[in-house]
Tab-separated table of all heavy atoms in Angstrom:
chain	number	residue	atom	x	y	z
A	1	LEU	N	18.262	3.007	-3.823
A	1	LEU	CA	17.797	1.909	-4.625
A	1	LEU	C	18.833	1.592	-5.685
A	1	LEU	O	19.514	2.465	-6.196
A	1	LEU	CB	16.483	2.265	-5.304
A	1	LEU	CG	15.271	2.481	-4.421
A	1	LEU	CD1	14.099	2.972	-5.246
A	1	LEU	CD2	14.892	1.230	-3.684
A	2	ALA	N	18.862	0.325	-6.024
A	2	ALA	CA	19.771	-0.121	-7.065
A	2	ALA	C	18.957	-0.734	-8.203
A	2	ALA	O	17.823	-1.189	-7.982
A	2	ALA	CB	20.733	-1.154	-6.493
A	3	PRO	N	19.502	-0.755	-9.411
A	3	PRO	CA	18.782	-1.396	-10.515
A	3	PRO	C	18.401	-2.829	-10.129
A	3	PRO	O	19.201	-3.568	-9.567
A	3	PRO	CB	19.788	-1.383	-11.656
A	3	PRO	CG	20.673	-0.207	-11.352
A	3	PRO	CD	20.781	-0.190	-9.847
A	4	GLY	N	17.154	-3.173	-10.402
A	4	GLY	CA	16.676	-4.512	-10.081
A	4	GLY	C	15.976	-4.626	-8.740
A	4	GLY	O	15.335	-5.630	-8.458
A	5	ASP	N	16.102	-3.595	-7.879
A	5	ASP	CA	15.399	-3.609	-6.597
A	5	ASP	C	13.899	-3.561	-6.845
A	5	ASP	O	13.427	-2.868	-7.749
A	5	ASP	CB	15.787	-2.402	-5.728
A	5	ASP	CG	17.142	-2.536	-5.088
A	5	ASP	OD1	17.740	-3.629	-5.156
A	5	ASP	OD2	17.606	-1.542	-4.500
A	6	MET	N	13.161	-4.301	-6.023
A	6	MET	CA	11.703	-4.291	-6.136
A	6	MET	C	11.161	-3.123	-5.314
A	6	MET	O	11.542	-2.951	-4.159
A	6	MET	CB	11.125	-5.608	-5.640
A	6	MET	CG	11.498	-6.764	-6.523
A	6	MET	SD	10.812	-8.317	-5.961
A	6	MET	CE	9.077	-8.018	-6.154
A	7	ILE	N	10.321	-2.311	-5.952
A	7	ILE	CA	9.713	-1.183	-5.262
A	7	ILE	C	8.225	-1.133	-5.607
A	7	ILE	O	7.771	-1.770	-6.553
A	7	ILE	CB	10.363	0.161	-5.636
A	7	ILE	CG1	10.159	0.467	-7.118
A	7	ILE	CG2	11.834	0.175	-5.289
A	7	ILE	CD1	10.479	1.885	-7.502
A	8	MET	N	7.492	-0.369	-4.843
A	8	MET	CA	6.084	-0.115	-5.133
A	8	MET	C	5.956	1.375	-5.401
A	8	MET	O	6.454	2.194	-4.631
A	8	MET	CB	5.212	-0.496	-3.937
A	8	MET	CG	3.772	-0.051	-4.035
A	8	MET	SD	2.877	-0.569	-5.500
A	8	MET	CE	2.888	-2.319	-5.307
A	9	MET	N	5.315	1.701	-6.510
A	9	MET	CA	5.087	3.101	-6.819
A	9	MET	C	3.604	3.294	-7.116
A	9	MET	O	3.013	2.493	-7.836
A	9	MET	CB	5.889	3.536	-8.032
A	9	MET	CG	5.698	5.001	-8.360
A	9	MET	SD	6.601	5.468	-9.830
A	9	MET	CE	5.307	6.204	-10.772
A	10	VAL	N	3.033	4.304	-6.526
A	10	VAL	CA	1.658	4.683	-6.808
A	10	VAL	C	1.689	6.106	-7.329
A	10	VAL	O	2.274	6.985	-6.701
A	10	VAL	CB	0.782	4.593	-5.537
A	10	VAL	CG1	-0.578	5.213	-5.777
A	10	VAL	CG2	0.633	3.141	-5.097
A	11	ALA	N	1.094	6.313	-8.494
A	11	ALA	CA	1.036	7.653	-9.078
A	11	ALA	C	-0.410	7.998	-9.382
A	11	ALA	O	-1.164	7.147	-9.850
A	11	ALA	CB	1.874	7.719	-10.351
A	12	THR	N	-0.788	9.213	-9.088
A	12	THR	CA	-2.139	9.681	-9.372
A	12	THR	C	-2.068	11.063	-9.992
A	12	THR	O	-1.059	11.759	-9.855
A	12	THR	CB	-2.998	9.735	-8.097
A	12	THR	OG1	-2.401	10.638	-7.168
A	12	THR	CG2	-3.123	8.365	-7.456
A	13	ALA	N	-3.139	11.436	-10.651
A	13	ALA	CA	-3.236	12.786	-11.213
A	13	ALA	C	-4.680	13.242	-11.089
A	13	ALA	O	-5.603	12.438	-11.199
A	13	ALA	CB	-2.809	12.785	-12.680
A	14	ALA	N	-4.858	14.499	-10.825
A	14	ALA	CA	-6.190	15.079	-10.694
A	14	ALA	C	-6.081	16.589	-10.880
A	14	ALA	O	-4.995	17.159	-10.712
A	14	ALA	CB	-6.765	14.762	-9.313
A	15	PRO	N	-7.180	17.229	-11.218
A	15	PRO	CA	-7.155	18.683	-11.383
A	15	PRO	C	-6.753	19.414	-10.100
A	15	PRO	O	-6.171	20.490	-10.158
A	15	PRO	CB	-8.587	19.036	-11.774
A	15	PRO	CG	-9.146	17.781	-12.361
A	15	PRO	CD	-8.480	16.669	-11.605
A	16	HIS	N	-7.058	18.803	-8.950
A	16	HIS	CA	-6.731	19.431	-7.678
A	16	HIS	C	-5.836	18.510	-6.848
A	16	HIS	O	-6.054	17.304	-6.803
A	16	HIS	CB	-8.004	19.779	-6.900
A	16	HIS	CG	-8.887	20.712	-7.656
A	16	HIS	ND1	-8.606	22.057	-7.786
A	16	HIS	CD2	-10.029	20.503	-8.345
A	16	HIS	CE1	-9.539	22.630	-8.525
A	16	HIS	NE2	-10.416	21.703	-8.877
A	17	ARG	N	-4.846	19.072	-6.213
A	17	ARG	CA	-3.850	18.331	-5.443
A	17	ARG	C	-4.480	17.418	-4.396
A	17	ARG	O	-4.089	16.250	-4.259
A	17	ARG	CB	-2.891	19.341	-4.790
A	17	ARG	CG	-1.900	18.753	-3.842
A	17	ARG	CD	-0.994	19.805	-3.261
A	17	ARG	NE	-1.774	20.889	-2.680
A	17	ARG	CZ	-1.281	22.094	-2.414
A	17	ARG	NH1	-0.032	22.373	-2.687
A	17	ARG	NH2	-2.033	23.024	-1.871
A	18	ASN	N	-5.458	17.895	-3.647
A	18	ASN	CA	-6.060	17.092	-2.594
A	18	ASN	C	-6.715	15.825	-3.154
A	18	ASN	O	-6.637	14.761	-2.548
A	18	ASN	CB	-7.083	17.911	-1.810
A	18	ASN	CG	-7.507	17.208	-0.541
A	18	ASN	OD1	-6.658	16.759	0.224
A	18	ASN	ND2	-8.807	17.098	-0.323
A	19	ASP	N	-7.352	15.941	-4.321
A	19	ASP	CA	-7.968	14.768	-4.945
A	19	ASP	C	-6.911	13.727	-5.327
A	19	ASP	O	-7.122	12.523	-5.164
A	19	ASP	CB	-8.764	15.171	-6.185
A	19	ASP	CG	-9.962	16.039	-5.851
A	19	ASP	OD1	-10.455	15.969	-4.700
A	19	ASP	OD2	-10.403	16.793	-6.743
A	20	ALA	N	-5.776	14.182	-5.820
A	20	ALA	CA	-4.695	13.254	-6.176
A	20	ALA	C	-4.130	12.577	-4.927
A	20	ALA	O	-3.864	11.372	-4.927
A	20	ALA	CB	-3.588	13.993	-6.930
A	21	PHE	N	-3.940	13.329	-3.848
A	21	PHE	CA	-3.454	12.742	-2.600
A	21	PHE	C	-4.436	11.708	-2.060
A	21	PHE	O	-4.039	10.628	-1.621
A	21	PHE	CB	-3.213	13.814	-1.542
A	21	PHE	CG	-2.032	14.707	-1.805
A	21	PHE	CD1	-1.990	15.974	-1.264
A	21	PHE	CD2	-0.962	14.299	-2.582
A	21	PHE	CE1	-0.903	16.815	-1.480
A	21	PHE	CE2	0.125	15.121	-2.812
A	21	PHE	CZ	0.157	16.387	-2.266
A	22	GLU	N	-5.723	12.023	-2.114
A	22	GLU	CA	-6.735	11.092	-1.617
A	22	GLU	C	-6.767	9.823	-2.466
A	22	GLU	O	-6.913	8.721	-1.944
A	22	GLU	CB	-8.106	11.765	-1.607
A	22	GLU	CG	-9.147	10.953	-0.878
A	22	GLU	CD	-10.436	11.730	-0.686
A	22	GLU	OE1	-11.195	11.850	-1.670
A	22	GLU	OE2	-10.666	12.183	0.442
A	23	ALA	N	-6.615	9.962	-3.762
A	23	ALA	CA	-6.580	8.795	-4.645
A	23	ALA	C	-5.371	7.910	-4.315
A	23	ALA	O	-5.481	6.688	-4.283
A	23	ALA	CB	-6.539	9.235	-6.104
A	24	ALA	N	-4.228	8.529	-4.060
A	24	ALA	CA	-3.033	7.756	-3.696
A	24	ALA	C	-3.236	7.044	-2.365
A	24	ALA	O	-2.834	5.883	-2.203
A	24	ALA	CB	-1.811	8.668	-3.636
A	25	GLU	N	-3.876	7.704	-1.405
A	25	GLU	CA	-4.168	7.058	-0.119
A	25	GLU	C	-5.062	5.846	-0.315
A	25	GLU	O	-4.837	4.786	0.276
A	25	GLU	CB	-4.854	8.040	0.831
A	25	GLU	CG	-3.932	9.023	1.485
A	25	GLU	CD	-4.683	9.831	2.525
A	25	GLU	OE1	-5.443	10.735	2.124
A	25	GLU	OE2	-4.514	9.537	3.721
A	26	PHE	N	-6.098	5.993	-1.152
A	26	PHE	CA	-6.980	4.867	-1.429
A	26	PHE	C	-6.195	3.703	-2.019
A	26	PHE	O	-6.340	2.555	-1.578
A	26	PHE	CB	-8.103	5.273	-2.388
A	26	PHE	CG	-8.844	4.088	-2.940
A	26	PHE	CD1	-9.801	3.444	-2.170
A	26	PHE	CD2	-8.561	3.606	-4.203
A	26	PHE	CE1	-10.475	2.332	-2.667
A	26	PHE	CE2	-9.229	2.494	-4.708
A	26	PHE	CZ	-10.185	1.860	-3.933
A	27	LEU	N	-5.381	3.979	-3.007
A	27	LEU	CA	-4.606	2.911	-3.652
A	27	LEU	C	-3.666	2.218	-2.675
A	27	LEU	O	-3.565	0.990	-2.662
A	27	LEU	CB	-3.827	3.472	-4.842
A	27	LEU	CG	-4.683	3.895	-6.028
A	27	LEU	CD1	-3.852	4.681	-7.029
A	27	LEU	CD2	-5.322	2.681	-6.677
A	28	MET	N	-2.975	2.986	-1.851
A	28	MET	CA	-2.063	2.376	-0.876
A	28	MET	C	-2.825	1.544	0.144
A	28	MET	O	-2.406	0.437	0.494
A	28	MET	CB	-1.223	3.451	-0.178
A	28	MET	CG	-0.230	4.138	-1.092
A	28	MET	SD	0.942	3.007	-1.879
A	28	MET	CE	1.806	2.389	-0.453
A	29	ASP	N	-3.958	2.051	0.629
A	29	ASP	CA	-4.765	1.288	1.581
A	29	ASP	C	-5.260	-0.005	0.941
A	29	ASP	O	-5.255	-1.073	1.565
A	29	ASP	CB	-5.947	2.119	2.083
A	29	ASP	CG	-5.523	3.256	2.990
A	29	ASP	OD1	-4.400	3.204	3.533
A	29	ASP	OD2	-6.323	4.195	3.167
A	30	TYR	N	-5.681	0.072	-0.312
A	30	TYR	CA	-6.148	-1.123	-1.017
A	30	TYR	C	-5.013	-2.132	-1.169
A	30	TYR	O	-5.179	-3.318	-0.881
A	30	TYR	CB	-6.713	-0.748	-2.391
A	30	TYR	CG	-7.173	-1.958	-3.154
A	30	TYR	CD1	-8.451	-2.476	-2.955
A	30	TYR	CD2	-6.333	-2.608	-4.042
A	30	TYR	CE1	-8.870	-3.606	-3.624
A	30	TYR	CE2	-6.742	-3.744	-4.716
A	30	TYR	CZ	-8.013	-4.245	-4.502
A	30	TYR	OH	-8.416	-5.371	-5.156
A	31	LEU	N	-3.872	-1.670	-1.616
A	31	LEU	CA	-2.748	-2.588	-1.836
A	31	LEU	C	-2.282	-3.233	-0.533
A	31	LEU	O	-1.968	-4.429	-0.505
A	31	LEU	CB	-1.580	-1.846	-2.495
A	31	LEU	CG	-1.815	-1.432	-3.948
A	31	LEU	CD1	-0.674	-0.549	-4.427
A	31	LEU	CD2	-1.967	-2.660	-4.837
A	32	LYS	N	-2.235	-2.477	0.540
A	32	LYS	CA	-1.758	-3.027	1.818
A	32	LYS	C	-2.688	-4.094	2.381
A	32	LYS	O	-2.268	-4.931	3.161
A	32	LYS	CB	-1.550	-1.910	2.842
A	32	LYS	CG	-0.347	-1.037	2.499
A	32	LYS	CD	-0.096	-0.016	3.563
A	32	LYS	CE	0.713	-0.645	4.670
A	32	LYS	NZ	1.131	0.321	5.688
A	33	THR	N	-3.960	-4.076	1.981
A	33	THR	CA	-4.907	-5.055	2.521
A	33	THR	C	-5.324	-6.121	1.522
A	33	THR	O	-5.823	-7.158	1.918
A	33	THR	CB	-6.177	-4.349	3.045
A	33	THR	OG1	-6.753	-3.583	1.982
A	33	THR	CG2	-5.853	-3.440	4.219
A	34	ASN	N	-5.124	-5.894	0.222
A	34	ASN	CA	-5.640	-6.821	-0.783
A	34	ASN	C	-4.611	-7.371	-1.765
A	34	ASN	O	-4.957	-8.231	-2.566
A	34	ASN	CB	-6.752	-6.146	-1.589
A	34	ASN	CG	-7.969	-5.877	-0.743
A	34	ASN	OD1	-8.627	-6.792	-0.290
A	34	ASN	ND2	-8.249	-4.609	-0.505
A	35	ALA	N	-3.400	-6.876	-1.744
A	35	ALA	CA	-2.391	-7.339	-2.694
A	35	ALA	C	-1.446	-8.323	-2.002
A	35	ALA	O	-0.747	-7.947	-1.072
A	35	ALA	CB	-1.607	-6.149	-3.240
A	36	PRO	N	-1.439	-9.568	-2.437
A	36	PRO	CA	-0.643	-10.576	-1.733
A	36	PRO	C	0.864	-10.312	-1.730
A	36	PRO	O	1.549	-10.679	-0.789
A	36	PRO	CB	-0.964	-11.866	-2.471
A	36	PRO	CG	-1.527	-11.458	-3.775
A	36	PRO	CD	-2.150	-10.106	-3.579
A	37	PHE	N	1.391	-9.660	-2.750
A	37	PHE	CA	2.831	-9.409	-2.788
A	37	PHE	C	3.276	-8.401	-1.742
A	37	PHE	O	4.440	-8.333	-1.382
A	37	PHE	CB	3.266	-8.918	-4.175
A	37	PHE	CG	2.651	-7.607	-4.559
A	37	PHE	CD1	3.207	-6.408	-4.144
A	37	PHE	CD2	1.502	-7.578	-5.325
A	37	PHE	CE1	2.623	-5.201	-4.481
A	37	PHE	CE2	0.915	-6.377	-5.685
A	37	PHE	CZ	1.480	-5.188	-5.260
A	38	TRP	N	2.330	-7.599	-1.270
A	38	TRP	CA	2.673	-6.517	-0.340
A	38	TRP	C	3.243	-7.020	0.967
A	38	TRP	O	4.109	-6.404	1.565
A	38	TRP	CB	1.425	-5.674	-0.060
A	38	TRP	CG	1.725	-4.451	0.726
A	38	TRP	CD1	1.692	-4.320	2.078
A	38	TRP	CD2	2.148	-3.198	0.224
A	38	TRP	NE1	2.047	-3.052	2.454
A	38	TRP	CE2	2.343	-2.341	1.322
A	38	TRP	CE3	2.386	-2.717	-1.049
A	38	TRP	CZ2	2.761	-1.035	1.165
A	38	TRP	CZ3	2.800	-1.411	-1.187
A	38	TRP	CH2	2.980	-0.591	-0.089
A	39	LYS	N	2.792	-8.162	1.446
A	39	LYS	CA	3.147	-8.649	2.776
A	39	LYS	C	4.422	-9.480	2.805
A	39	LYS	O	4.791	-10.013	3.826
A	39	LYS	CB	1.987	-9.476	3.351
A	39	LYS	CG	0.692	-8.692	3.472
A	39	LYS	CD	0.766	-7.679	4.574
A	39	LYS	CE	-0.560	-6.977	4.756
A	39	LYS	NZ	-0.538	-6.006	5.789
A	40	SER	N	5.097	-9.608	1.702
A	40	SER	CA	6.315	-10.409	1.651
A	40	SER	C	7.543	-9.499	1.730
A	40	SER	O	7.674	-8.562	0.947
A	40	SER	CB	6.356	-11.205	0.349
A	40	SER	OG	7.566	-11.899	0.239
A	41	GLU	N	8.413	-9.793	2.696
A	41	GLU	CA	9.673	-9.043	2.818
A	41	GLU	C	10.827	-9.985	2.540
A	41	GLU	O	10.929	-11.051	3.140
A	41	GLU	CB	9.830	-8.479	4.232
A	41	GLU	CG	8.941	-7.314	4.527
A	41	GLU	CD	9.223	-6.715	5.900
A	41	GLU	OE1	10.141	-7.201	6.603
A	41	GLU	OE2	8.525	-5.767	6.273
A	42	GLU	N	11.679	-9.587	1.627
A	42	GLU	CA	12.873	-10.376	1.342
A	42	GLU	C	14.026	-9.773	2.120
A	42	GLU	O	14.323	-8.593	1.992
A	42	GLU	CB	13.163	-10.399	-0.151
A	42	GLU	CG	12.142	-11.195	-0.926
A	42	GLU	CD	12.525	-11.412	-2.371
A	42	GLU	OE1	13.738	-11.436	-2.674
A	42	GLU	OE2	11.608	-11.553	-3.193
A	43	ARG	N	14.637	-10.605	2.937
A	43	ARG	CA	15.784	-10.172	3.736
A	43	ARG	C	17.026	-10.855	3.197
A	43	ARG	O	16.942	-11.727	2.330
A	43	ARG	CB	15.543	-10.516	5.198
A	43	ARG	CG	14.285	-9.789	5.714
A	43	ARG	CD	13.989	-10.090	7.134
A	43	ARG	NE	12.763	-9.362	7.523
A	43	ARG	CZ	12.134	-9.566	8.639
A	43	ARG	NH1	12.591	-10.438	9.521
A	43	ARG	NH2	11.043	-8.876	8.905
A	44	ALA	N	18.185	-10.482	3.683
A	44	ALA	CA	19.438	-11.028	3.177
A	44	ALA	C	19.465	-12.554	3.242
A	44	ALA	O	19.983	-13.206	2.337
A	44	ALA	CB	20.615	-10.446	3.953
A	45	ASP	N	18.892	-13.117	4.291
A	45	ASP	CA	18.986	-14.563	4.475
A	45	ASP	C	17.645	-15.295	4.457
A	45	ASP	O	17.593	-16.501	4.652
A	45	ASP	CB	19.698	-14.869	5.783
A	45	ASP	CG	18.974	-14.262	6.983
A	45	ASP	OD1	18.118	-13.400	6.776
A	45	ASP	OD2	19.281	-14.659	8.112
A	46	SER	N	16.544	-14.582	4.223
A	46	SER	CA	15.245	-15.250	4.256
A	46	SER	C	14.160	-14.400	3.602
A	46	SER	O	14.352	-13.233	3.296
A	46	SER	CB	14.845	-15.546	5.700
A	46	SER	OG	14.663	-14.336	6.410
A	47	LYS	N	13.019	-15.043	3.418
A	47	LYS	CA	11.829	-14.358	2.937
A	47	LYS	C	10.796	-14.502	4.034
A	47	LYS	O	10.527	-15.600	4.504
A	47	LYS	CB	11.339	-15.003	1.653
A	47	LYS	CG	10.223	-14.271	0.976
A	47	LYS	CD	9.908	-14.942	-0.357
A	47	LYS	CE	8.938	-14.113	-1.141
A	47	LYS	NZ	8.666	-14.710	-2.456
A	48	VAL	N	10.221	-13.378	4.484
A	48	VAL	CA	9.309	-13.380	5.620
A	48	VAL	C	7.970	-12.777	5.197
A	48	VAL	O	7.933	-11.748	4.510
A	48	VAL	CB	9.900	-12.544	6.787
A	48	VAL	CG1	8.945	-12.476	7.940
A	48	VAL	CG2	11.234	-13.105	7.210
A	49	TRP	N	6.880	-13.423	5.611
A	49	TRP	CA	5.554	-12.866	5.392
A	49	TRP	C	5.179	-12.054	6.611
A	49	TRP	O	5.210	-12.545	7.733
A	49	TRP	CB	4.532	-13.972	5.134
A	49	TRP	CG	4.718	-14.560	3.767
A	49	TRP	CD1	5.430	-15.672	3.450
A	49	TRP	CD2	4.237	-14.029	2.539
A	49	TRP	NE1	5.424	-15.872	2.103
A	49	TRP	CE2	4.699	-14.883	1.511
A	49	TRP	CE3	3.475	-12.930	2.198
A	49	TRP	CZ2	4.398	-14.661	0.164
A	49	TRP	CZ3	3.185	-12.711	0.855
A	49	TRP	CH2	3.633	-13.560	-0.136
A	50	VAL	N	4.839	-10.805	6.400
A	50	VAL	CA	4.509	-9.872	7.475
A	50	VAL	C	3.047	-10.077	7.879
A	50	VAL	O	2.172	-10.170	7.027
A	50	VAL	CB	4.738	-8.415	7.020
A	50	VAL	CG1	4.350	-7.438	8.096
A	50	VAL	CG2	6.181	-8.228	6.589
A	51	ASP	N	2.796	-10.139	9.171
A	51	ASP	CA	1.432	-10.269	9.667
A	51	ASP	C	0.623	-9.025	9.337
A	51	ASP	O	1.142	-7.912	9.327
A	51	ASP	CB	1.419	-10.477	11.182
A	51	ASP	CG	1.990	-11.821	11.596
A	51	ASP	OD1	1.908	-12.771	10.781
A	51	ASP	OD2	2.507	-11.924	12.717
A	52	ALA	N	-0.651	-9.234	9.080
A	52	ALA	CA	-1.552	-8.113	8.824
A	52	ALA	C	-1.641	-7.229	10.069
A	52	ALA	O	-1.579	-7.718	11.192
A	52	ALA	CB	-2.937	-8.628	8.460
A	53	GLN	N	-1.773	-5.960	9.840
A	53	GLN	CA	-1.872	-4.988	10.924
A	53	GLN	C	-3.294	-4.443	10.989
A	53	GLN	O	-3.897	-4.124	9.961
A	53	GLN	CB	-0.899	-3.829	10.698
A	53	GLN	CG	0.548	-4.247	10.562
A	53	GLN	CD	1.105	-4.741	11.877
A	53	GLN	OE1	0.902	-4.131	12.915
A	53	GLN	NE2	1.800	-5.864	11.836
A	54	ALA	N	-3.831	-4.316	12.182
A	54	ALA	CA	-5.193	-3.807	12.354
A	54	ALA	C	-5.333	-2.400	11.782
A	54	ALA	O	-6.364	-2.061	11.189
A	54	ALA	CB	-5.586	-3.828	13.824
A	55	HIS	N	-4.303	-1.579	11.925
A	55	HIS	CA	-4.412	-0.199	11.421
A	55	HIS	C	-4.508	-0.162	9.899
A	55	HIS	O	-5.117	0.753	9.338
A	55	HIS	CB	-3.276	0.689	11.940
A	55	HIS	CG	-1.911	0.246	11.545
A	55	HIS	ND1	-1.345	0.594	10.357
A	55	HIS	CD2	-1.003	-0.520	12.190
A	55	HIS	CE1	-0.124	0.063	10.272
A	55	HIS	NE2	0.093	-0.620	11.372
A	56	ASP	N	-3.944	-1.163	9.203
A	56	ASP	CA	-4.102	-1.222	7.746
A	56	ASP	C	-5.553	-1.522	7.382
A	56	ASP	O	-6.119	-0.900	6.482
A	56	ASP	CB	-3.192	-2.300	7.147
A	56	ASP	CG	-1.718	-1.968	7.300
A	56	ASP	OD1	-1.369	-0.776	7.325
A	56	ASP	OD2	-0.918	-2.917	7.387
A	57	ASP	N	-6.157	-2.497	8.082
A	57	ASP	CA	-7.560	-2.820	7.830
A	57	ASP	C	-8.468	-1.644	8.168
A	57	ASP	O	-9.425	-1.359	7.441
A	57	ASP	CB	-7.981	-4.045	8.646
A	57	ASP	CG	-7.302	-5.320	8.151
A	57	ASP	OD1	-7.014	-5.413	6.947
A	57	ASP	OD2	-7.058	-6.211	8.972
A	58	ASN	N	-8.167	-0.948	9.244
A	58	ASN	CA	-8.969	0.219	9.644
A	58	ASN	C	-8.868	1.325	8.585
A	58	ASN	O	-9.868	1.985	8.274
A	58	ASN	CB	-8.536	0.750	11.004
A	58	ASN	CG	-8.854	-0.209	12.127
A	58	ASN	OD1	-9.719	-1.071	11.988
A	58	ASN	ND2	-8.147	-0.082	13.230
A	59	ALA	N	-7.687	1.543	8.063
A	59	ALA	CA	-7.503	2.580	7.031
A	59	ALA	C	-8.286	2.227	5.774
A	59	ALA	O	-8.939	3.086	5.173
A	59	ALA	CB	-6.021	2.761	6.727
A	60	ALA	N	-8.253	0.950	5.392
A	60	ALA	CA	-8.968	0.526	4.177
A	60	ALA	C	-10.483	0.571	4.386
A	60	ALA	O	-11.228	0.840	3.429
A	60	ALA	CB	-8.530	-0.876	3.787
A	61	ALA	N	-10.936	0.334	5.589
A	61	ALA	CA	-12.374	0.312	5.870
A	61	ALA	C	-13.041	1.654	5.626
A	61	ALA	O	-14.229	1.715	5.311
A	61	ALA	CB	-12.622	-0.148	7.303
A	62	ARG	N	-12.278	2.732	5.730
A	62	ARG	CA	-12.908	4.060	5.532
A	62	ARG	C	-13.369	4.290	4.110
A	62	ARG	O	-14.160	5.170	3.841
A	62	ARG	CB	-11.956	5.159	5.975
A	62	ARG	CG	-10.779	5.363	5.068
A	62	ARG	CD	-9.815	6.384	5.654
A	62	ARG	NE	-8.618	6.445	4.867
A	62	ARG	CZ	-8.078	7.562	4.461
A	62	ARG	NH1	-8.597	8.718	4.788
A	62	ARG	NH2	-6.975	7.536	3.749
A	63	TRP	N	-12.871	3.464	3.160
A	63	TRP	CA	-13.257	3.626	1.768
A	63	TRP	C	-14.502	2.823	1.409
A	63	TRP	O	-15.066	3.008	0.342
A	63	TRP	CB	-12.098	3.217	0.850
A	63	TRP	CG	-10.860	3.973	1.140
A	63	TRP	CD1	-9.735	3.506	1.781
A	63	TRP	CD2	-10.580	5.343	0.850
A	63	TRP	NE1	-8.804	4.490	1.882
A	63	TRP	CE2	-9.282	5.636	1.318
A	63	TRP	CE3	-11.304	6.354	0.222
A	63	TRP	CZ2	-8.696	6.884	1.195
A	63	TRP	CZ3	-10.714	7.611	0.091
A	63	TRP	CH2	-9.433	7.863	0.569
A	64	LYS	N	-14.916	1.913	2.282
A	64	LYS	CA	-16.087	1.083	2.006
A	64	LYS	C	-17.343	1.810	2.456
A	64	LYS	O	-17.397	2.340	3.557
A	64	LYS	CB	-15.963	-0.248	2.732
A	64	LYS	CG	-14.796	-1.059	2.217
A	64	LYS	CD	-14.650	-2.356	2.969
A	64	LYS	CE	-13.403	-3.063	2.463
A	64	LYS	NZ	-13.143	-4.270	3.189
A	65	LYS	N	-18.312	1.817	1.623
A	65	LYS	CA	-19.565	2.507	1.958
A	65	LYS	C	-20.718	1.558	1.906
A	65	LYS	O	-20.773	0.593	1.302
A	65	LYS	CB	-19.798	3.674	1.023
A	65	LYS	CG	-18.738	4.715	1.198
A	65	LYS	CD	-19.034	5.925	0.368
A	65	LYS	CE	-17.879	6.889	0.587
A	65	LYS	NZ	-18.122	8.216	0.343
């Protein structure tokens, strides 16, 4: 990475490691399905919107009760 590069960072904290990992999974699943900036890829010569993937929706669905 270089200064100015756009990145996504998710950080969590919890008393137990597994809880922190699960929280990070939830956040990533949420962002991949609900955050509009997530689906945009900037390439050297263009900006491309990535199609939604069924596996992303399936991963996010496990959090809905």
Side-chain angles (χ1 to χ4, degrees):
L1 294 174
D5 284 351
M6 293 181 65
I7 63 167
M8 170 55 63
M9 181 182 127
V10 170
T12 61
H16 301 285
R17 174 179 53 198
N18 192 49
D19 294 336
F21 289 155
E22 190 171 77
E25 282 187 284
F26 167 79
L27 291 169
M28 292 302 296
D29 290 340
Y30 179 85
L31 290 172
K32 289 184 84 174
T33 57
N34 293 294
F37 63 84
W38 188 268
K39 301 288 184 180
S40 175
E41 286 185 2
E42 291 189 28
R43 299 180 181 170
D45 59 345
S46 64
K47 187 175 188 177
V48 177
W49 287 95
V50 178
D51 292 332
Q53 303 290 315
H55 61 85
D56 294 330
D57 291 329
N58 292 339
R62 71 185 173 132
W63 304 106
K64 295 178 184 176
K65 295 185 182 203

